[in-house]
Amino acid sequence: MNGEMHSKAEHLILQEQVEGIADADRVWLQQHLETCPACARIAASTGQALRGMRAISVPLPPGLAGRAQMRVYLRARERGPKRAGWMVWAACGASWAMGIVTAPYVWRGFRWLGSSAGLPDLVWKTGFGLWWAAPALLAVAILLAEKWGREERTDDVRI
């Protein structure tokens, strides 16, 4: 027998112990182990080693899983708002860029609306200013609310 068959057998022995193998491979491996004492010894020692490892009991501190879950939860809460924060900034940037591009058209629209409705210049110009200030004020309010919300959370709980 060549070395390739032995390496295939060793691979199948390990794969069978970890994730399982197909029936055809199992039949081939069984036949090979019956005719090859070296591979049969490898299969026996591998099985014995895994049984020994499964028998070992590792004592864990009580509450370890709960503490680990709490740490993961706190880390996720800590990272979450940062991602949302950059999205708000990106939206603000896109809003300002679109505002700059569309400003002449909106100016004409407000001027036309003011003259059609017979409004004084101060009224429609104030409306134009508020039209552009409203998204910025909303973004500032969102960012401040997010900041105050982060400060009020108790993320600094020590476990």
Side-chain angles (χ1 to χ4, degrees):
M1 286 188 206
N2 61 16
E4 190 175 307
M5 298 206 36
H6 294 297
S7 66
K8 178 182 176 183
E10 288 179 21
H11 175 73
L12 288 175
I13 289 167
L14 296 174
Q15 186 177 0
E16 182 180 35
Q17 296 293 330
V18 175
E19 58 194 44
I21 57 175
D23 290 335
D25 288 335
R26 186 173 287 113
V27 169
W28 181 89
L29 180 61
Q30 211 44 33
Q31 290 173 351
H32 180 77
L33 293 178
E34 290 171 1
T35 59
C36 180
C39 290
R41 279 193 301 274
I42 290 173
S45 65
T46 302
Q48 183 180 5
L50 286 173
R51 283 190 298 278
M53 288 177 63
R54 289 183 182 129
I56 295 173
S57 174
V58 178
L60 298 175
L64 177 66
R67 289 195 306 265
Q69 285 177 333
M70 181 59 79
R71 293 254 183 192
V72 168
Y73 172 75
L74 290 175
R75 181 67 176 150
R77 280 188 57 189
E78 177 182 299
R79 291 183 56 89
K82 290 180 184 174
R83 287 201 174 121
W86 79 264
M87 290 173 58
V88 170
W89 284 109
C92 286
S95 171
W96 279 99
M98 291 303 294
I100 291 168
V101 170
T102 61
Y105 305 110
V106 175
W107 177 263
R108 287 185 202 133
F110 270 88
R111 185 172 42 184
W112 173 82
L113 186 62
S115 65
S116 296
L119 298 173
D121 283 350
L122 181 62
V123 172
W124 68 263
K125 286 180 181 178
T126 303
F128 176 79
L130 291 175
W131 174 265
W132 295 116
L137 293 175
L138 180 64
V140 167
I142 290 171
L143 291 173
L144 287 176
E146 182 180 304
K147 181 182 177 188
W148 288 332
R150 259 196 316 252
E151 290 174 357
E152 291 177 3
R153 281 191 240 140
T154 56
D155 282 345
D156 58 344
V157 174
R158 298 289 177 227
I159 299 174

